[in-house]
Structure formats: structure tokens, C-alpha cells
Amino acid sequence: MRIVWTLLKVIVGLAIAIPVGVVVLGLTVGLVGTALALAMVALKLACLALAGYGVFAVVRRLFGSPKPAPQPTRELPPSDRYYEAAMRELDSELGTPTR
């Protein structure tokens, strides 16, 4: 009787687990398929955007205005004398040679 009861529990367990497993497998395949489809759409959109940017760059190069001449660089402002004095004072307090 003990073997029959164990077999009955196994049969009931399999009767529940197999359909649930099939449903879970179906959902998993559906979700993975959806993710792959979205990835393919994103890849196609990226390729289309890259081609559009290429066309835009070619048109801009053909019909665009020439680049403006670079502006001359400004000279650096004079150094801050208060900062230099503070650095000299700090150097003297720390015992390092002055600049």
C-alpha cells in the first residue's frame, strides 16, 4: 500500500508540474522572442539613423558654408600677486625652498 500511495503522489505531482512547466516554458519563449524582436527593431532603427546621418553629413559638406577661421587665442592674464605671496609664505612655513 505504501508503494501505491507514493506512486499516486508522484502521479498527482507530475499531473500538476507538467502543465505548469509547459505554460512557464511558453511564457519564457514568448518573452525571449519579444526581446529579440525589439532588439532587431532597435538595430534596424540604428542602421537607418546611421544612414540618415551619413546623408546629412554629405549634404552638409556639399552645400554647407565653409568653416570660419579660428579665433586667435588670448594671452593669459597676469599672475595673481597675492596668490604668489601666499604661496611664498606657505613655502617658508613648511621649510621648502621658495619658488
PDB file of all heavy atoms in Angstrom, residues 38-65:
ATOM      1  N   LEU A  38      12.377  43.117 -30.334  1.00  0.00           N
ATOM      2  CA  LEU A  38      12.659  44.516 -30.008  1.00  0.00           C
ATOM      3  C   LEU A  38      14.121  44.870 -30.295  1.00  0.00           C
ATOM      4  O   LEU A  38      14.420  45.980 -30.755  1.00  0.00           O
ATOM      5  CB  LEU A  38      12.336  44.792 -28.545  1.00  0.00           C
ATOM      6  CG  LEU A  38      10.850  44.865 -28.202  1.00  0.00           C
ATOM      7  CD1 LEU A  38      10.663  45.007 -26.699  1.00  0.00           C
ATOM      8  CD2 LEU A  38      10.175  45.992 -28.935  1.00  0.00           C
ATOM      9  N   ALA A  39      15.025  43.930 -30.045  1.00  0.00           N
ATOM     10  CA  ALA A  39      16.435  44.175 -30.353  1.00  0.00           C
ATOM     11  C   ALA A  39      16.643  44.330 -31.859  1.00  0.00           C
ATOM     12  O   ALA A  39      17.421  45.185 -32.305  1.00  0.00           O
ATOM     13  CB  ALA A  39      17.296  43.040 -29.807  1.00  0.00           C
ATOM     14  N   MET A  40      15.959  43.523 -32.647  1.00  0.00           N
ATOM     15  CA  MET A  40      16.078  43.633 -34.103  1.00  0.00           C
ATOM     16  C   MET A  40      15.523  44.968 -34.599  1.00  0.00           C
ATOM     17  O   MET A  40      16.113  45.604 -35.479  1.00  0.00           O
ATOM     18  CB  MET A  40      15.352  42.468 -34.781  1.00  0.00           C
ATOM     19  CG  MET A  40      15.987  41.123 -34.520  1.00  0.00           C
ATOM     20  SD  MET A  40      17.632  40.990 -35.181  1.00  0.00           S
ATOM     21  CE  MET A  40      17.246  40.741 -36.884  1.00  0.00           C
ATOM     22  N   VAL A  41      14.398  45.388 -34.041  1.00  0.00           N
ATOM     23  CA  VAL A  41      13.818  46.677 -34.435  1.00  0.00           C
ATOM     24  C   VAL A  41      14.766  47.813 -34.062  1.00  0.00           C
ATOM     25  O   VAL A  41      14.975  48.753 -34.845  1.00  0.00           O
ATOM     26  CB  VAL A  41      12.430  46.865 -33.783  1.00  0.00           C
ATOM     27  CG1 VAL A  41      11.940  48.286 -33.927  1.00  0.00           C
ATOM     28  CG2 VAL A  41      11.425  45.902 -34.404  1.00  0.00           C
ATOM     29  N   ALA A  42      15.371  47.733 -32.867  1.00  0.00           N
ATOM     30  CA  ALA A  42      16.320  48.773 -32.455  1.00  0.00           C
ATOM     31  C   ALA A  42      17.541  48.788 -33.366  1.00  0.00           C
ATOM     32  O   ALA A  42      18.052  49.856 -33.718  1.00  0.00           O
ATOM     33  CB  ALA A  42      16.740  48.547 -31.001  1.00  0.00           C
ATOM     34  N   LEU A  43      18.011  47.611 -33.779  1.00  0.00           N
ATOM     35  CA  LEU A  43      19.160  47.537 -34.682  1.00  0.00           C
ATOM     36  C   LEU A  43      18.821  48.125 -36.051  1.00  0.00           C
ATOM     37  O   LEU A  43      19.618  48.870 -36.631  1.00  0.00           O
ATOM     38  CB  LEU A  43      19.615  46.088 -34.828  1.00  0.00           C
ATOM     39  CG  LEU A  43      20.850  45.844 -35.676  1.00  0.00           C
ATOM     40  CD1 LEU A  43      22.057  46.525 -35.043  1.00  0.00           C
ATOM     41  CD2 LEU A  43      21.089  44.364 -35.833  1.00  0.00           C
ATOM     42  N   LYS A  44      17.636  47.829 -36.556  1.00  0.00           N
ATOM     43  CA  LYS A  44      17.218  48.399 -37.844  1.00  0.00           C
ATOM     44  C   LYS A  44      17.100  49.918 -37.745  1.00  0.00           C
ATOM     45  O   LYS A  44      17.512  50.645 -38.652  1.00  0.00           O
ATOM     46  CB  LYS A  44      15.883  47.804 -38.279  1.00  0.00           C
ATOM     47  CG  LYS A  44      15.984  46.376 -38.748  1.00  0.00           C
ATOM     48  CD  LYS A  44      14.609  45.837 -39.149  1.00  0.00           C
ATOM     49  CE  LYS A  44      14.691  44.383 -39.561  1.00  0.00           C
ATOM     50  NZ  LYS A  44      13.391  43.842 -39.940  1.00  0.00           N
ATOM     51  N   LEU A  45      16.545  50.394 -36.639  1.00  0.00           N
ATOM     52  CA  LEU A  45      16.406  51.836 -36.443  1.00  0.00           C
ATOM     53  C   LEU A  45      17.773  52.505 -36.341  1.00  0.00           C
ATOM     54  O   LEU A  45      17.987  53.597 -36.882  1.00  0.00           O
ATOM     55  CB  LEU A  45      15.581  52.111 -35.190  1.00  0.00           C
ATOM     56  CG  LEU A  45      15.195  53.550 -34.920  1.00  0.00           C
ATOM     57  CD1 LEU A  45      14.330  54.084 -36.055  1.00  0.00           C
ATOM     58  CD2 LEU A  45      14.453  53.666 -33.613  1.00  0.00           C
ATOM     59  N   ALA A  46      18.730  51.852 -35.663  1.00  0.00           N
ATOM     60  CA  ALA A  46      20.073  52.410 -35.552  1.00  0.00           C
ATOM     61  C   ALA A  46      20.752  52.467 -36.918  1.00  0.00           C
ATOM     62  O   ALA A  46      21.432  53.443 -37.245  1.00  0.00           O
ATOM     63  CB  ALA A  46      20.908  51.582 -34.573  1.00  0.00           C
ATOM     64  N   CYS A  47      20.568  51.434 -37.732  1.00  0.00           N
ATOM     65  CA  CYS A  47      21.145  51.438 -39.080  1.00  0.00           C
ATOM     66  C   CYS A  47      20.528  52.538 -39.934  1.00  0.00           C
ATOM     67  O   CYS A  47      21.226  53.229 -40.683  1.00  0.00           O
ATOM     68  CB  CYS A  47      20.953  50.080 -39.746  1.00  0.00           C
ATOM     69  SG  CYS A  47      21.968  48.779 -39.028  1.00  0.00           S
ATOM     70  N   LEU A  48      19.229  52.721 -39.820  1.00  0.00           N
ATOM     71  CA  LEU A  48      18.544  53.776 -40.561  1.00  0.00           C
ATOM     72  C   LEU A  48      19.037  55.154 -40.114  1.00  0.00           C
ATOM     73  O   LEU A  48      19.281  56.040 -40.944  1.00  0.00           O
ATOM     74  CB  LEU A  48      17.030  53.660 -40.363  1.00  0.00           C
ATOM     75  CG  LEU A  48      16.164  54.604 -41.162  1.00  0.00           C
ATOM     76  CD1 LEU A  48      16.295  54.310 -42.646  1.00  0.00           C
ATOM     77  CD2 LEU A  48      14.715  54.485 -40.729  1.00  0.00           C
ATOM     78  N   ALA A  49      19.220  55.331 -38.805  1.00  0.00           N
ATOM     79  CA  ALA A  49      19.711  56.608 -38.290  1.00  0.00           C
ATOM     80  C   ALA A  49      21.149  56.862 -38.753  1.00  0.00           C
ATOM     81  O   ALA A  49      21.508  57.992 -39.102  1.00  0.00           O
ATOM     82  CB  ALA A  49      19.642  56.625 -36.768  1.00  0.00           C
ATOM     83  N   LEU A  50      21.967  55.823 -38.792  1.00  0.00           N
ATOM     84  CA  LEU A  50      23.343  55.977 -39.261  1.00  0.00           C
ATOM     85  C   LEU A  50      23.372  56.365 -40.736  1.00  0.00           C
ATOM     86  O   LEU A  50      24.147  57.239 -41.138  1.00  0.00           O
ATOM     87  CB  LEU A  50      24.123  54.685 -39.032  1.00  0.00           C
ATOM     88  CG  LEU A  50      25.602  54.706 -39.397  1.00  0.00           C
ATOM     89  CD1 LEU A  50      26.344  55.706 -38.521  1.00  0.00           C
ATOM     90  CD2 LEU A  50      26.198  53.330 -39.251  1.00  0.00           C
ATOM     91  N   ALA A  51      22.520  55.739 -41.530  1.00  0.00           N
ATOM     92  CA  ALA A  51      22.455  56.098 -42.953  1.00  0.00           C
ATOM     93  C   ALA A  51      21.954  57.537 -43.123  1.00  0.00           C
ATOM     94  O   ALA A  51      22.479  58.296 -43.948  1.00  0.00           O
ATOM     95  CB  ALA A  51      21.541  55.133 -43.690  1.00  0.00           C
ATOM     96  N   GLY A  52      20.967  57.931 -42.347  1.00  0.00           N
ATOM     97  CA  GLY A  52      20.460  59.304 -42.404  1.00  0.00           C
ATOM     98  C   GLY A  52      21.520  60.313 -42.006  1.00  0.00           C
ATOM     99  O   GLY A  52      21.642  61.371 -42.624  1.00  0.00           O
ATOM    100  N   TYR A  53      22.300  59.990 -40.986  1.00  0.00           N
ATOM    101  CA  TYR A  53      23.371  60.897 -40.575  1.00  0.00           C
ATOM    102  C   TYR A  53      24.431  60.996 -41.668  1.00  0.00           C
ATOM    103  O   TYR A  53      24.976  62.071 -41.911  1.00  0.00           O
ATOM    104  CB  TYR A  53      24.004  60.430 -39.269  1.00  0.00           C
ATOM    105  CG  TYR A  53      25.120  61.328 -38.820  1.00  0.00           C
ATOM    106  CD1 TYR A  53      24.847  62.583 -38.281  1.00  0.00           C
ATOM    107  CD2 TYR A  53      26.441  60.946 -38.967  1.00  0.00           C
ATOM    108  CE1 TYR A  53      25.870  63.431 -37.888  1.00  0.00           C
ATOM    109  CE2 TYR A  53      27.472  61.788 -38.580  1.00  0.00           C
ATOM    110  CZ  TYR A  53      27.185  63.023 -38.033  1.00  0.00           C
ATOM    111  OH  TYR A  53      28.191  63.850 -37.666  1.00  0.00           O
ATOM    112  N   GLY A  54      24.722  59.883 -42.333  1.00  0.00           N
ATOM    113  CA  GLY A  54      25.683  59.912 -43.431  1.00  0.00           C
ATOM    114  C   GLY A  54      25.214  60.797 -44.566  1.00  0.00           C
ATOM    115  O   GLY A  54      25.990  61.575 -45.124  1.00  0.00           O
ATOM    116  N   VAL A  55      23.934  60.680 -44.915  1.00  0.00           N
ATOM    117  CA  VAL A  55      23.374  61.531 -45.973  1.00  0.00           C
ATOM    118  C   VAL A  55      23.439  62.995 -45.546  1.00  0.00           C
ATOM    119  O   VAL A  55      23.810  63.867 -46.335  1.00  0.00           O
ATOM    120  CB  VAL A  55      21.923  61.103 -46.297  1.00  0.00           C
ATOM    121  CG1 VAL A  55      21.233  62.127 -47.166  1.00  0.00           C
ATOM    122  CG2 VAL A  55      21.915  59.739 -46.954  1.00  0.00           C
ATOM    123  N   PHE A  56      23.105  63.271 -44.290  1.00  0.00           N
ATOM    124  CA  PHE A  56      23.157  64.638 -43.788  1.00  0.00           C
ATOM    125  C   PHE A  56      24.576  65.189 -43.848  1.00  0.00           C
ATOM    126  O   PHE A  56      24.797  66.343 -44.242  1.00  0.00           O
ATOM    127  CB  PHE A  56      22.634  64.682 -42.346  1.00  0.00           C
ATOM    128  CG  PHE A  56      22.819  66.008 -41.681  1.00  0.00           C
ATOM    129  CD1 PHE A  56      22.030  67.091 -42.024  1.00  0.00           C
ATOM    130  CD2 PHE A  56      23.792  66.182 -40.710  1.00  0.00           C
ATOM    131  CE1 PHE A  56      22.204  68.317 -41.415  1.00  0.00           C
ATOM    132  CE2 PHE A  56      23.975  67.392 -40.099  1.00  0.00           C
ATOM    133  CZ  PHE A  56      23.180  68.466 -40.450  1.00  0.00           C
ATOM    134  N   ALA A  57      25.574  64.381 -43.472  1.00  0.00           N
ATOM    135  CA  ALA A  57      26.961  64.833 -43.492  1.00  0.00           C
ATOM    136  C   ALA A  57      27.416  65.124 -44.918  1.00  0.00           C
ATOM    137  O   ALA A  57      28.125  66.117 -45.161  1.00  0.00           O
ATOM    138  CB  ALA A  57      27.862  63.791 -42.842  1.00  0.00           C
ATOM    139  N   VAL A  58      27.017  64.283 -45.864  1.00  0.00           N
ATOM    140  CA  VAL A  58      27.406  64.512 -47.262  1.00  0.00           C
ATOM    141  C   VAL A  58      26.758  65.788 -47.788  1.00  0.00           C
ATOM    142  O   VAL A  58      27.413  66.617 -48.426  1.00  0.00           O
ATOM    143  CB  VAL A  58      27.036  63.290 -48.128  1.00  0.00           C
ATOM    144  CG1 VAL A  58      27.152  63.619 -49.608  1.00  0.00           C
ATOM    145  CG2 VAL A  58      27.915  62.107 -47.769  1.00  0.00           C
ATOM    146  N   VAL A  59      25.476  65.972 -47.502  1.00  0.00           N
ATOM    147  CA  VAL A  59      24.777  67.182 -47.966  1.00  0.00           C
ATOM    148  C   VAL A  59      25.377  68.423 -47.318  1.00  0.00           C
ATOM    149  O   VAL A  59      25.576  69.446 -47.972  1.00  0.00           O
ATOM    150  CB  VAL A  59      23.261  67.062 -47.678  1.00  0.00           C
ATOM    151  CG1 VAL A  59      22.562  68.389 -47.880  1.00  0.00           C
ATOM    152  CG2 VAL A  59      22.646  66.000 -48.559  1.00  0.00           C
ATOM    153  N   ARG A  60      25.689  68.335 -46.036  1.00  0.00           N
ATOM    154  CA  ARG A  60      26.290  69.490 -45.351  1.00  0.00           C
ATOM    155  C   ARG A  60      27.650  69.820 -45.953  1.00  0.00           C
ATOM    156  O   ARG A  60      28.005  70.982 -46.121  1.00  0.00           O
ATOM    157  CB  ARG A  60      26.420  69.194 -43.864  1.00  0.00           C
ATOM    158  CG  ARG A  60      26.921  70.394 -43.074  1.00  0.00           C
ATOM    159  CD  ARG A  60      27.095  70.074 -41.628  1.00  0.00           C
ATOM    160  NE  ARG A  60      28.115  69.026 -41.518  1.00  0.00           N
ATOM    161  CZ  ARG A  60      28.349  68.329 -40.415  1.00  0.00           C
ATOM    162  NH1 ARG A  60      27.626  68.547 -39.349  1.00  0.00           N
ATOM    163  NH2 ARG A  60      29.279  67.408 -40.394  1.00  0.00           N
ATOM    164  N   ARG A  61      28.419  68.792 -46.283  1.00  0.00           N
ATOM    165  CA  ARG A  61      29.741  69.039 -46.855  1.00  0.00           C
ATOM    166  C   ARG A  61      29.627  69.635 -48.253  1.00  0.00           C
ATOM    167  O   ARG A  61      30.420  70.482 -48.648  1.00  0.00           O
ATOM    168  CB  ARG A  61      30.531  67.745 -46.898  1.00  0.00           C
ATOM    169  CG  ARG A  61      31.963  67.941 -47.338  1.00  0.00           C
ATOM    170  CD  ARG A  61      32.754  66.694 -47.110  1.00  0.00           C
ATOM    171  NE  ARG A  61      32.878  66.442 -45.687  1.00  0.00           N
ATOM    172  CZ  ARG A  61      34.040  66.340 -45.059  1.00  0.00           C
ATOM    173  NH1 ARG A  61      35.142  66.460 -45.741  1.00  0.00           N
ATOM    174  NH2 ARG A  61      34.082  66.115 -43.779  1.00  0.00           N
ATOM    175  N   LEU A  62      28.619  69.189 -49.020  1.00  0.00           N
ATOM    176  CA  LEU A  62      28.475  69.699 -50.378  1.00  0.00           C
ATOM    177  C   LEU A  62      27.907  71.112 -50.415  1.00  0.00           C
ATOM    178  O   LEU A  62      28.353  71.955 -51.192  1.00  0.00           O
ATOM    179  CB  LEU A  62      27.569  68.772 -51.192  1.00  0.00           C
ATOM    180  CG  LEU A  62      28.154  67.405 -51.572  1.00  0.00           C
ATOM    181  CD1 LEU A  62      27.101  66.581 -52.278  1.00  0.00           C
ATOM    182  CD2 LEU A  62      29.379  67.580 -52.442  1.00  0.00           C
ATOM    183  N   PHE A  63      26.888  71.371 -49.600  1.00  0.00           N
ATOM    184  CA  PHE A  63      26.169  72.643 -49.690  1.00  0.00           C
ATOM    185  C   PHE A  63      26.379  73.566 -48.503  1.00  0.00           C
ATOM    186  O   PHE A  63      25.830  74.660 -48.465  1.00  0.00           O
ATOM    187  CB  PHE A  63      24.671  72.381 -49.848  1.00  0.00           C
ATOM    188  CG  PHE A  63      24.338  71.590 -51.079  1.00  0.00           C
ATOM    189  CD1 PHE A  63      23.838  70.301 -50.967  1.00  0.00           C
ATOM    190  CD2 PHE A  63      24.540  72.117 -52.339  1.00  0.00           C
ATOM    191  CE1 PHE A  63      23.529  69.558 -52.096  1.00  0.00           C
ATOM    192  CE2 PHE A  63      24.238  71.381 -53.467  1.00  0.00           C
ATOM    193  CZ  PHE A  63      23.734  70.091 -53.350  1.00  0.00           C
ATOM    194  N   GLY A  64      27.141  73.153 -47.513  1.00  0.00           N
ATOM    195  CA  GLY A  64      27.319  73.964 -46.311  1.00  0.00           C
ATOM    196  C   GLY A  64      28.289  75.098 -46.528  1.00  0.00           C
ATOM    197  O   GLY A  64      29.049  75.144 -47.483  1.00  0.00           O
ATOM    198  N   SER A  65      28.268  76.046 -45.611  1.00  0.00           N
ATOM    199  CA  SER A  65      29.193  77.175 -45.687  1.00  0.00           C
ATOM    200  C   SER A  65      30.563  76.713 -45.196  1.00  0.00           C
ATOM    201  O   SER A  65      30.671  75.796 -44.399  1.00  0.00           O
ATOM    202  CB  SER A  65      28.669  78.327 -44.838  1.00  0.00           C
ATOM    203  OG  SER A  65      28.586  77.924 -43.489  1.00  0.00           O
TER     204      SER A  65
END
